[in-house]
Each structure stands twice: as structure tokens, then as C-alpha cells.
Amino acid sequence: MNQVTFIVLGATGDLCKRKLIPAIYKLIENKKLDLFAFIGVSFDQTNTEEILQNSKKFISKIDNKLWNKLEKASYYHQLDFYNKQGYKALHDSIVNVEKKHNLNGNRIFYLATIPKHFKEITKNLNENKIISKHQSESNCSMCKHPWARIVYEKPFGSDFTSAKQINNCIKKSFHENQIYRIDHYLGKELVSNISLVRFTNRIFEPLWNNKNIESVQIILKEKIGLEGRGNFYNKYGAIKDVIQNHMLQILSLIAMEQPKKLEAKYIRNAKAKVLKNVKFKDAVLGQYKEFTKEKGVDPKSNTETFAALNLEIKNKRWAGVPFYLKTGKYLDKKDTSVHIKFKMVKCLLTKGCPTDSNYLTLKINPDQGFFLELNIKDPENINTIMPIQMNFCHSCLFGPNTPEAYEHLLLNVINGDQSAFVRSDEIEHSWKIVEQIKKGKFKLFKYEKNSSGPEQANKLNGKGIRWRS
Ligand SMILES: NC(=O)c1ccc[n+]([C@@H]2O[C@H](COP(=O)([O-])OP(=O)(O)OC[C@H]3O[C@@H](n4cnc5c(N)ncnc54)[C@H](OP(=O)(O)O)[C@@H]3O)[C@@H](O)[C@H]2O)c1
């Protein structure tokens, strides 16, 4: 029986409104929660009705009966994260709610705030025994005593030093198996499919190395701009906002060695090993033309809104294979995808050899699926080879309603499954890669909105690149 009290710290924020309450509603709708309560916590003098109401428009279809169920189990508790005395009252509120709803005390604390608050909240939760270290146990959905798990939203720190400090602080309070560092890309259907596709299909894994793969492109293009987050983005930029987390996580899943089992411990060991061996080679950075006029952005800002990178992985499997990463704001389209380019085969034809090799493309967002590009004979032209696609479209086969990343991830926390969450060493290795890039002090190229970024990005490390998107 799944029973849990969700305590969201930062309940009046954008993340809670857009993602967390809709995810909890979906868990109720999909019958994943038998008994539950939701306690929203933040600084504002507001109330439960207002918090739930603000979230309603982010849920596609509401069933009134289910919404009533959520309303009846929802509460608001006002607290300044820095008021140490206030945590005693929070604890009392949680205990009262749990008594009222016959809950056994399983708790998820979700820190839906900026990382600046992580250490203070963690210390106070521990010192007031709201969560304590000994309550920990992994895979404890079946155990008799209650569990407590703590979720940290991304970004986890703003550089290597701050991430390390947060890790050191939270490890004093909690066991690693209580700690869930979110990277919501790991909850996306096609990202969570990467290791399954690799390791359950004989046709891929034997080819997954530098003998057969020429290069890998990981692309995360955004069509949108800052969406009111100018102040945050000015400090972070594209490298810290999406490369440090989403894109390096995808890279680590693509490049990791075969884990002993597809379980959290082994997957995270394998990913950490890859991240430790990533070497930065070259970058082209860009900034869209109107960026410095945006609200919250420094008029002299040197923050990149675009980055194209060449990385390498220093191990036997990947030696000599370039990993190209590209991301940016206000680009020509929204697209997250991975393109694996296989090496050309020796052509045995006397005429009309293929001009390109095979590609495996993973479509992550907005389309989901993958396709394999193969060469076949053109039926209409003798001696002509043409590329065709063997296509798997996820929504065509399973319908458009796959679970949202946050629903998926909250369910994983309830089930004590950490495989889609980032371990402390992975986070620290990723920040180290960011440090390598930041040392480069690259020139910033301006680009037009709705373009594919600065044209300089078509060359990295002295080599021309044909970006696949
Ligand atoms: N929004 C998204 O879709 C999204 C997606 C992925 C990641 N994130 C990340 O998630 C984090 C939170 O994002 P957000 O957009 O929700 O931020 P936000 O809108 O600024 O919300 C922050 C929350 O923290 C509370 N808070 C701040 N200082 C407090 C204090 N001293 N005591 C008590 N409460 C305090 C605020 O409460 P009051 O309003 O009452 O002051 C608010 O509820 C950020 O790091 C963001 O980058 C957001």
C-alpha cells in the first residue's frame, strides 16, 4: 500500500504550481497513491485553496471527485526557512496531519527552492528530528517502519565548490539512500529508455564503441527565451543551466559501460566513471542579440545563451570519438535529440556508393521515439543508393499520454528507486567539467533569434560539423 505525506518547501513557487501539484494529481488519477497528504510550506501568508487553485490550469483534464480528494488532504504551513524555532511547529503540523489521515509517517520532503536555501533547510529538518539519519533505508516501500526521503531540485549548487559544500552538509544529516537529487530529464520517457534500448537489444551493444561509432551529437535546442528568469539566467547561462545537468546526464547514459545490473547502484557507478573521464576540447559560445536588454539581465552581461562543445571521453571504448553538444535559447526549433553516427562501411559497389553512413537518432523532446537510418537501393534509379528511416514513434504506439517526468520521478521516490536520481559524485564530476569549459574564456558570438545559433558553431576543434538539428 502506497502511503506518503508530501511536504513541499517552496509551495508558492513556480515549480510547485506547474509541476509538483499536477504530478501529485496525476498519481491520484493513476491510482498510485492509496493514502496521502500534501503540506505546502513557504514564506508567504497564503492558504491551501490559493495554492491549489493556481495549479489547476496546468492540469489538462480535471475530475472533480479526484480534485476534491486532493483538496481534502492538502494543507499550508507558513515558515521562514531561516527561522529555526519555526521548524518545531512544522513538525507538529506534519504529525497532526498524519494522525488525521491515518498515515504511517512515510515522508517526502521536496526542496522546491533555489540551492542557496538547501543547507539551512537540511540542517533544521535534521536538528528538529523531522527527518533523521537512522530512519533511512533504501528500497523500503515494503518495510514496516516509516521512511523519510529528501528531494533536492536542480540546479544543485552554482559551481563545483558550492555543490561540494551542499553535499558535505546534507551527508552529515542524511544517508545517501535518503537523498534524491532531481534532474527531471532522467524522468523523461526516452531518456529512461536509453539504457534499456542499449542493453536489451543485441544489435546495439556490440557496435557501441570507437571501432564502429564515428561521433555522437547531443542537442538540446530551446525555442523559448528567459520566461521571467532573467536574473537567474544571467548568473547561470546555458552551460550551467542545461549542460552541467541534463546534457551531461544524457552523455553519461549513452557512454557508460555495461552495468552489472540495471539498478541504481550499478547505473550510478557506471555514469560517474564516464563523467570522471570527460575531457573538454573546444567550445563556441553565443548570445542572442537582445539578451542584454532583458529584464533582470546585466546590460554588460557576458553570459552565454548558446554553447556548442566538443568533449572527449578518455577510456578505451571512446578514445578518438568526438562528443558534440549543442544548446541555446531562442533557436529555430524546440528539439532534444541524440544522434549516433556510425562509421562508413567499405563500399563494394562499382558505382553509386552511399554518401553517408548509418545514424541512430533518439528523439527525446518534443517528439519521442528513435529511428535508424539505413542505406537501400533506390527502386527507380539503377546504381543509386538512398537512405531510409526505420522509425519508432512512441506516441503512435502508446498514445500521447505518457507520464510527465515529475510524476514518474515522484513515484520513483515513493518506491525508493534512486536509478533516475543523481549521486553526489556524478554532480561533482559534472561541475568539474563545467570548470574545464569556463577556464577557456571564449569569445561570445552574437546570433539572431530563431536562427540555429552563430555560424561559427559549425566548426569545432578545427573540424567542420554537420549538425543534425
Ligand atoms: N519552475 C520550473 O518549472 C522549474 C523547473 C525546473 C527546475 N526549477 C528550479 O526549481 C527551483 C525553484 O524554482 P521556482 O521557479 O519554483 O522558484 P520560485 O518561484 O522563486 O519559488 C521559490 C519558493 O521558495 C520560497 N521561499 C524563498 N525564500 C524563502 C524563505 N526564506 N522562507 C520560506 N520560503 C521561501 C518562496 O516562497 P514565497 O513565495 O512565499 O516567498 C517560493 O515558494 C529553482 O532552483 C529553479 O531553477 C524550476
Side-chain angles (χ1 to χ4, degrees):
M1 187 188 207
N2 266 341
Q3 50 173 315
V4 60
T5 310
F6 296 99
I7 300 116
V8 176
L9 296 113
T12 50
D14 205 48
L15 176 71
C16 183
K17 171 173 74 181
R18 282 173 188 270
K19 301 289 180 190
L20 301 183
I21 292 174
I24 292 171
Y25 176 81
K26 284 283 170 194
L27 287 174
I28 301 168
E29 189 180 74
N30 292 329
K31 301 190 171 48
K32 302 290 185 196
L33 290 174
D34 301 304
L35 277 177
F36 73 96
F38 164 76
I39 304 174
V41 182
S42 59
F43 189 70
D44 221 11
Q45 290 285 0
T46 180
N47 55 54
T48 324
E49 292 71 40
E50 201 174 339
I51 289 180
L52 291 183
Q53 199 56 37
N54 287 340
S55 192
K56 248 181 163 170
K57 61 173 176 286
F58 298 102
I59 304 171
S60 50
K61 226 171 86 198
I62 291 190
D63 175 309
N64 287 337
K65 234 171 145 183
L66 297 178
W67 188 255
N68 269 343
K69 202 171 167 182
L70 174 62
E71 277 178 333
K72 280 194 180 136
S74 294
Y75 300 85
Y76 180 68
H77 185 96
Q78 196 266 334
L79 171 79
D80 177 355
F81 299 151
Y82 293 82
N83 172 14
K84 290 185 189 306
Q85 286 74 39
Y87 284 80
K88 162 96 182 60
L90 173 63
H91 197 188
D92 293 344
S93 283
I94 297 170
V95 172
N96 287 338
V97 166
E98 285 173 343
K99 259 191 207 149
K100 189 170 166 194
H101 291 269
N102 279 328
L103 284 155
N104 71 346
N106 288 344
R107 294 171 189 166
I108 294 177
F109 292 83
Y110 198 118
L111 273 60
T113 69
I114 52 172
K116 189 175 92 179
H117 305 312
F118 287 177
K119 289 190 281 182
E120 185 67 23
I121 298 172
T122 304
K123 267 196 283 182
N124 286 323
L125 289 175
N126 186 36
E127 281 167 14
N128 287 280
K129 308 234 173 324
I130 305 179
I131 319 181
S132 45
K133 218 169 177 175
H134 67 263
Q135 272 183 291
S136 80
E137 204 171 314
S138 62
N139 297 324
C140 195
S141 50
M142 304 297 285
C143 55
K144 292 207 170 64
H145 61 81
W147 47 255
R149 292 167 189 156
I150 183 156
V151 184
Y152 295 91
E153 184 49 56
K154 90 155 252 262
F156 195 88
S158 54
D159 54 18
F160 172 75
T161 310
S162 60
K164 180 117 192 130
Q165 282 169 354
I166 298 171
N167 273 333
N168 290 346
C169 166
I170 66 181
K171 278 181 186 176
K172 279 187 202 146
S173 299
F174 310 120
H175 283 295
E176 183 66 35
N177 60 18
Q178 286 175 286
I179 300 170
Y180 292 74
R181 296 174 194 79
I182 285 253
D183 182 330
H184 67 268
Y185 262 66
L186 295 180
K188 287 190 185 288
E189 186 62 28
L190 257 290
V191 176
S192 56
N193 241 312
I194 293 175
S195 22
L196 281 171
V197 171
R198 270 189 71 185
F199 299 117
T200 61
N201 295 295
R202 183 80 196 179
I203 56 166
F204 293 127
E205 197 45 26
L207 299 180
W208 217 258
N209 53 47
N210 58 2
K211 286 189 188 67
N212 301 294
I213 291 178
E214 188 169 309
S215 66
V216 177
Q217 291 187 15
I218 301 173
I219 292 171
L220 196 162
K221 284 165 104 175
E222 293 186 272
K223 208 166 159 46
I224 54 167
L226 306 184
E227 307 233 289
R229 295 163 76 222
N231 194 15
F232 162 81
Y233 202 86
N234 183 48
K235 288 191 205 116
Y236 273 71
I239 296 170
K240 291 185 176 183
D241 187 36
V242 297
I243 292 180
Q244 183 272 332
N245 35 69
H246 309 324
M247 296 183 81
L248 287 177
Q249 279 297 314
I250 294 173
L251 177 143
S252 66
L253 284 167
I254 295 287
M256 70 182 181
E257 294 301 311
Q258 182 165 327
K260 200 166 142 194
K261 277 192 169 180
L262 285 177
E263 277 177 10
K265 178 179 153 193
Y266 303 110
I267 293 175
R268 300 196 311 172
N269 284 348
K271 286 197 294 159
K273 249 187 201 162
V274 170
L275 293 168
K276 195 175 171 194
N277 285 312
V278 170
K279 290 284 166 291
F280 165 66
K281 304 267 289 187
D282 195 16
V284 171
L285 304 184
Q287 189 185 74
Y288 65 84
K289 282 189 174 160
E290 296 80 2
F291 179 65
T292 50
K293 297 196 185 97
E294 299 271 17
K295 196 172 161 219
V297 173
D298 175 356
K300 291 192 186 126
S301 177
N302 281 326
T303 301
E304 78 289 348
T305 62
F306 173 96
L309 305 181
N310 175 191
L311 304 176
E312 225 181 52
I313 299 165
K314 293 278 178 202
N315 64 19
K316 212 170 144 197
R317 182 187 287 264
W318 294 113
V321 179
F323 280 72
Y324 297 117
L325 275 56
K326 177 162 94 168
T327 185
K329 290 273 184 204
Y330 275 127
L331 294 181
D332 51 351
K333 62 173 169 178
K334 175 177 173 163
D335 175 37
T336 306
S337 49
V338 180
H339 307 261
I340 294 158
K341 181 178 181 6
F342 291 89
K343 290 189 169 169
M344 292 283 271
V345 289
K346 190 176 159 205
C347 182
L348 306 177
L349 302 169
T350 45
K351 278 187 206 163
C353 284
T355 52
D356 210 347
S357 58
N358 309 117
Y359 286 88
L360 173 66
T361 296
L362 305 171
K363 305 290 290 173
I364 293 167
N365 196 21
D367 303 330
Q368 298 179 33
F370 51 86
F371 59 82
L372 187 60
E373 223 164 276
L374 302 172
N375 290 310
I376 62 152
K377 179 176 149 300
D378 182 342
E380 291 184 356
N381 294 303
I382 303 167
N383 290 332
T384 310
I385 298 292
M386 61 183 282
I388 52 103
Q389 290 181 354
M390 282 174 69
N391 203 345
F392 158 58
C393 153
H394 192 276
S395 60
C396 309
L397 197 60
F398 301 111
N401 297 324
T402 49
E404 266 265 357
Y406 280 91
E407 181 191 344
H408 206 133
L409 292 171
L410 279 183
L411 189 60
N412 283 356
V413 183
I414 293 170
N415 290 332
D417 178 356
Q418 294 186 302
S419 55
F421 296 85
V422 188
R423 209 169 54 190
S424 58
D425 50 350
E426 293 179 72
I427 292 258
E428 290 173 18
H429 292 319
S430 301
W431 279 118
K432 282 267 185 201
I433 299 167
V434 171
E435 277 192 351
Q436 290 183 53
I437 305 166
K438 291 281 175 187
K439 270 189 198 144
K441 304 237 175 333
F442 291 94
K443 193 177 161 193
L444 210 54
F445 296 100
K446 293 280 179 184
Y447 65 95
E448 301 284 346
K449 280 184 181 175
N450 302 318
S451 71
S452 57
E455 63 181 39
Q456 287 80 358
N458 295 330
K459 207 170 191 186
L460 279 170
N461 227 21
K463 242 178 123 182
I465 301 164
R466 251 183 324 134
W467 290 103
R468 295 276 290 170
S469 167

